[in-house]
Amino acid sequence: MSIHFTDTDPTRRARASAGPLGLAALTALRAPSLFNTQPWRWDLHDDVADLRADLDRQLVATDPDSRLLIVSCGTALHHALVALAAAGHTVEVRRLPDPSQPTLLARLVLTGRRAPTPMDLRLVQAIAVRRSDRRPFTAIPVPGESVEALRDAAERHGAHLQFLRDEQVVELTVAGQHASDAEFTDPAYRAELGAWTHRPPHAADGVPADAAVATVPRRVVVRDFAPAGDAALPPGTGTDAGTRYGLLFTDTDAPADWLAAGEAMSAVLLAAVCAGLAASPMSDITEVPAVREDLRRRILAGLGWPVLALRFGTVERPGTVPRSPRRDPGQEPS
Ligand SMILES: Cc1cc2nc3c(=O)[nH]c(=O)nc-3n(C[C@H](O)[C@H](O)[C@H](O)COP(=O)(O)O)c2cc1C
């Protein structure tokens, strides 16, 4: 991600970086993204911020349609909007405002002030503590009211979160295994995973070994970010016995849906923090077209488009997943 200042006048440029939109773009740095690619940039100018997809950061083997890249940009958009609301700003958002510029995903225009609600303040605090937690969760069940809150968070942003019944978790188990087998037998995937799990420290992106968990027995496999065996996060004794799995999906399958799905994903993950739940995304099940199609038919009866799965639960030692790195906001697009 880079915060790119379009204004050539140094004084106005400095004002933009310190202004509400610059601060929102900084907060949005904490948004989750596929392989921690942070594939967006902000162009700030006075009271306007443009969110652009950075296609140079696309994972061409894992995400050839840039669907998950746009989902990742949607999480950054939602994080920025949460930051603005918490700082007392109202904003008009135009999504995909210019068909001739498909990488221009959203234009934010400041419109005024209003007092933040207690929920606005909780959500912005949740940004600071949220992590992708890949450890197996405990047997403690996820409360029904939390399930409702997570589902509502997705609906409010134009996507759906379907929680899986036990027999559907079996479908997810099969899907996860198939996706993992298909991806690990693809040299291009292995090369991409290797590159994004062994980034030089100055890159400040990618998934470090201390956010990866060794492969342990569990109901549904999670992506192995350390196939060479160097995962550094202790898995604990959980087995995912109480874990709830939700399939995030959209009604149609176009860039506008992927952007909405990213906003919904961010809203769901922040709602999970507020509910005291650990969570992590699983997108490998939609990266292999045949596996995605199978899930679409078996779980959604062909009535929607799976974006990714999310797992929710509790951990023995909350708050112990290290922060994964984020890029320097001044960095130019790579
Ligand atoms: C679109 C998308 C897909 C993701 N897919 C996976 C996944 O398949 N497995 C996983 O463990 N994490 C997945 N993640 C989480 C990212 O790896 C994570 O957000 C990133 O490494 C930054 O870490 P953080 O979430 O702890 O800040 C995904 C995130 C996004 C936004």
Side-chain angles (χ1 to χ4, degrees), residues 169-179 291 294:
V169 175
V170 176
E171 309 279 1
L172 190 66
T173 302
V174 173
Q177 198 57 60
H178 276 221
V291 177
D294 204 49

Side-chain angles (χ1 to χ4, degrees), residues 30-36 68 71-72 75 130-132 134 206-207 222-223 225 265 280-284 287 308 321-322 324 326:
R30 294 306 320 162
S33 58
L34 181 66
F35 286 27
N36 198 16
L68 296 168
V71 172
S72 301
T75 71
R130 187 207 59 79
R131 309 275 190 277
S132 295
R134 305 180 176 93
V207 181
V222 301
R223 192 198 301 273
F225 278 106
M265 173 183 180
S280 75
M282 298 167 43
S283 60
D284 44 358
E287 289 158 15
L308 44 72
V321 176
S324 50
R326 290 299 190 273

